[in-house]
């Protein structure tokens, strides 16, 4: 079975940088490595995440790694990582 492409959006990359700013470089590296490892499962199982409720027609899904919710979409054989959300924040801040 071929692997699915995983594409990180600019917003998702920015979210990883914010994690580094918030918790410091050493701890962030471990956290980011775990997030990236979790995302790798989507190469084989792109629909393995639960559906993220939204007000849009586009279907979003999510995986959880530690305190972080990895929000992604799956279209035309590609997985798009849209945002990494710290679940300790106000859930109203999550914009998908």
């Amino acid at each position: 079975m071929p692997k699915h492409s995983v594409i990180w959006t600019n917003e998702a990359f920015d979210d990883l940088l914010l994690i580094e700013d918030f918790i410091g470089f050493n701890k962030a590296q471990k956290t980011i490595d775990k997030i990236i490892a979790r995302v790798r499962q989507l190469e084989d199982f792109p629909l393995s995440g639960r559906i993220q409720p939204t007000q849009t027609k586009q279907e979003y899904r999510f995986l959880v790694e530690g305190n972080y919710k990895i929000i992604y979409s799956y279209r035309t054989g590609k997985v798009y990582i849209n945002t990494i959300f710290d679940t300790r924040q106000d859930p109203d801040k999550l914009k998908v």
Side-chain angles (χ1 to χ4, degrees), residues 12 14 17 41-42 51 55 67 75 81 83-85 89:
D14 290 346
L17 293 174
Q41 89 178 49
L42 299 174
I51 293 176
Q55 301 296 320
N67 293 319
R75 306 185 297 275
I81 307 302
T83 191
I84 311 297
F85 183 73
Q89 296 182 53

Side-chain angles (χ1 to χ4, degrees), residues 1-7 36-47 74-80:
M1 182 169 139
K3 298 229 183 240
H4 299 284
S5 297
V6 174
I7 299 163
I36 291 170
R38 185 81 161 125
V39 165
R40 284 193 186 115
Q41 89 178 49
L42 299 174
E43 293 173 351
D44 293 318
F45 306 104
L47 299 177
Y74 178 67
R75 306 185 297 275
T76 61
K78 295 179 182 172
V79 176
Y80 295 87

Side-chain angles (χ1 to χ4, degrees), residues 16-58:
L16 293 179
L17 293 174
L18 287 173
I19 292 170
E20 185 177 301
D21 288 345
F22 185 70
I23 64 175
F25 180 77
N26 290 334
K27 191 172 181 184
Q29 276 309 118
K30 292 177 188 173
T31 300
I32 290 169
D33 288 345
K34 287 179 182 179
I35 290 170
I36 291 170
R38 185 81 161 125
V39 165
R40 284 193 186 115
Q41 89 178 49
L42 299 174
E43 293 173 351
D44 293 318
F45 306 104
L47 299 177
S48 60
R50 294 184 60 195
I51 293 176
Q52 172 68 35
T54 66
Q55 301 296 320
T56 67
K57 290 183 181 181
Q58 171 68 43

